[in-house]
Amino acid sequence: MGAEALVDAGGGWALAPVLLWLFREGRFLADPNDLTRALALRLVEAGAPLVRLRLSLRADGPRLAGWAAVWTRGQPLDRDRVARAGLQRLPAYIGSPLEHIDRTGTAFRLRLEPAVPAAAHPLLHRLAAQGATDYLALPMPFADGRMASLVAVTDRCGGFHPDDIGKLEALAEALSPVLEAAAARHLARMQGGA
């Protein structure tokens, strides 16, 4: 994690208070849904230009293929979005930014203004129609080989600045082990039907 991501270069937002919260309090949130919501609120409080934050991961279990929680400004948290077996064959997944991350292990970014390319995944067209201007999906590899992701969407004119992207990359790196621990417990309960 580069030290430059921790410093507000002027006019931006500060990542350091968010990381401090993550290491002191956020890591104790046992439910990844609660972690998603609390993290989004901390980021917005710090000044991050977010309209949407999604944390997701491949579960690769016998009953669950994937899990996600989505925070959208002004709406209740979309909790425990699960994908059952066969996720790789669903139109919602095929060609999506999350498929890109799962397949390549690399970030996906698409500016949604002034226009989304016609061939882009339908999700990106929907977000642009709702006023989103930039989409960034970052990989968060887990120790066991599974892949998780942090997706940040903004509606700020001009999209994310390079400074925003650097901070979000540093956040994804710090968040990965915290989400891995919370998700392992949560998914074990979901898989077991408890």
Side-chain angles (χ1 to χ4, degrees):
M1 178 183 325
E4 63 278 358
L6 299 175
V7 180
D8 179 4
W13 53 280
L15 177 60
V18 177
L19 292 177
L20 190 61
W21 167 83
L22 182 64
F23 296 141
R24 288 186 175 168
E25 300 169 40
R27 68 188 179 101
F28 294 111
L29 293 173
D31 185 330
N33 294 287
D34 296 338
L35 177 62
T36 303
R37 182 180 180 281
L39 177 62
L41 295 177
R42 289 286 174 166
L43 285 164
V44 169
E45 183 179 288
L50 289 182
V51 68
R52 178 180 167 108
L53 179 77
R54 174 186 173 120
L55 298 183
S56 63
L57 60 103
R58 290 293 304 271
D60 293 329
R63 293 170 46 183
L64 297 177
W67 170 91
V70 181
W71 172 88
T72 303
R73 184 177 58 212
Q75 297 180 17
L77 183 74
D78 190 356
R79 303 175 57 89
D80 285 330
R81 294 177 70 174
V82 296
R84 305 292 174 198
L87 171 68
Q88 297 87 346
R89 295 184 304 274
L90 297 177
Y93 180 79
I94 297 169
S96 72
L98 297 182
E99 181 193 29
H100 169 88
I101 285 178
D102 288 344
R103 191 173 24 82
T104 69
T106 62
F108 176 94
R109 180 184 183 203
L110 185 66
R111 296 287 303 272
L112 304 177
E113 63 174 4
V116 179
H121 192 269
L123 167 70
L124 300 166
H125 288 279
R126 281 194 303 276
L127 290 171
Q130 295 166 3
T133 58
D134 207 344
Y135 181 101
L136 176 66
L138 299 169
M140 294 191 302
F142 284 178
D144 65 4
R146 287 181 299 151
M147 185 63 70
S149 61
L150 177 151
V151 174
V153 179
T154 188
D155 60 356
R156 180 174 65 190
C157 185
F160 289 120
H161 299 158
D163 184 54
D164 298 322
I165 293 171
K167 290 173 183 174
L168 290 167
E169 288 171 340
L171 173 63
E173 186 178 334
L175 178 62
S176 183
V178 175
L179 179 61
E180 184 171 10
R185 294 186 298 267
H186 188 69
L187 291 176
R189 287 192 301 271
M190 291 179 75
Q191 296 267 23

